[in-house]
Amino acid sequence: MSEQPIEHQFSFADCEIKKEQSAYNGFFTINRYSLRHRLFAGGWSGVVERELFERGNAAGVLLYDVALDQVGVIEQFRIGAHRQEGSPWQFEVVAGIVEAGESPEQVAHRETQEEAGLTLQELHPIANYLVSGGGTDEQMALYCGLCDLSAGGGLHGLAGEHEDIKLHCLSYQAACAALDAGKFNNAALTMGLFWLQLHRDRLRGAMLK
């Protein structure tokens, strides 16, 4: 039996925003919405209130050196991890917010220079996903960025943005072992490494011909 591709039952027309007001406007923005939406069983929901952390679009890059078979991972302090066991420092992909007039690809190149001191050779799309659709509108365009990690490592980041970033260059095997051991509790990094496990042979075959 052939299966039909899955599609959404509802669209934007099936959600009605009654009221929008600012709840907080500082380093980040939070808005409060009163809304209703159609129900799967039929009819409409009652009016519900939701706060939304409005961060916008972002781009992230898993750094990979085909020739050395190495993965580049950055490490920095994150306030959101300060109650986590182990450490409030996170292992992550290079990432940044897409500013007005920028494309995600441009952000990927810019942030790789700022956070890792490296120049990307190629970009391979991995996914474009909502980070946590229940509470924020942040959407991540995630890539695998091919680069030269032979001179990688060191400290990076913009002092004016209070960035203190360390670049780690790991063998592919060491990166996968760290993932399996639960060392990487970051969604973009986890997703990127799962993608690399599926596509590594293709990338290496194309580059090393």
Side-chain angles (χ1 to χ4, degrees):
M1 185 179 73
S2 62
E3 293 187 3
Q4 295 298 316
I6 188 169
E7 300 287 350
H8 291 293
Q9 179 177 338
F10 301 127
S11 68
F12 291 106
D14 299 304
C15 173
E16 184 179 276
I17 304 297
K18 296 286 191 180
K19 184 170 66 173
E20 174 185 349
Q21 62 186 119
S22 175
Y24 177 79
N25 191 1
F27 186 76
F28 293 117
T29 298
I30 299 175
N31 286 327
R32 181 177 294 112
Y33 292 86
S34 297
L35 60 93
R36 66 174 192 153
H37 58 81
R38 289 194 185 273
L39 301 172
F40 290 118
W44 288 80
S45 72
V47 175
V48 296
E49 289 198 351
R50 292 289 182 270
E51 286 78 33
L52 183 67
F53 173 26
E54 303 204 7
R55 185 179 169 101
N57 297 334
V61 189
L62 176 70
L63 304 175
Y64 179 58
D65 187 320
V66 172
L68 296 179
D69 199 22
Q70 286 188 350
V71 174
V73 175
I74 65 169
E75 181 184 10
Q76 60 183 319
F77 173 82
R78 290 301 198 189
I79 184 60
H82 80 285
R83 293 192 181 97
Q84 295 291 312
E85 292 184 7
S87 174
W89 274 256
Q90 288 260 286
F91 295 113
E92 303 177 342
V93 299
V94 164
I97 297 297
V98 179
E99 304 291 349
E102 283 188 310
S103 69
E105 293 83 1
Q106 289 173 323
V107 176
H109 284 276
R110 170 172 58 80
E111 292 293 334
T112 298
Q113 286 278 0
E114 292 177 2
E115 296 189 350
L118 299 171
T119 300
L120 293 176
Q121 300 161 350
E122 292 182 23
L123 272 179
H124 295 263
I126 294 177
N128 199 323
Y129 66 97
L130 284 171
V131 173
S132 183
T136 178
D137 67 346
E138 181 179 357
Q139 184 165 304
M140 171 72 81
L142 183 60
Y143 302 91
C144 179
L146 305 189
C147 59
D148 180 4
L149 292 174
S150 61
L155 305 180
H156 306 277
L158 299 180
E161 297 183 7
H162 304 285
E163 292 180 332
D164 180 44
I165 299 171
K166 184 175 183 178
L167 174 64
H168 300 268
C169 298
L170 309 174
S171 70
Y172 169 77
Q173 289 79 9
C176 290
L179 178 64
D180 289 341
K183 299 288 186 181
F184 299 152
N185 61 345
N186 173 276
L189 178 54
T190 299
M191 190 180 301
L193 285 172
F194 283 153
W195 182 93
L196 185 59
Q197 289 174 352
L198 292 174
H199 296 275
R200 171 173 168 261
D201 290 345
R202 174 178 62 82
L203 293 177
R204 300 200 81 206
M207 184 65 73
L208 299 177
K209 282 183 180 179

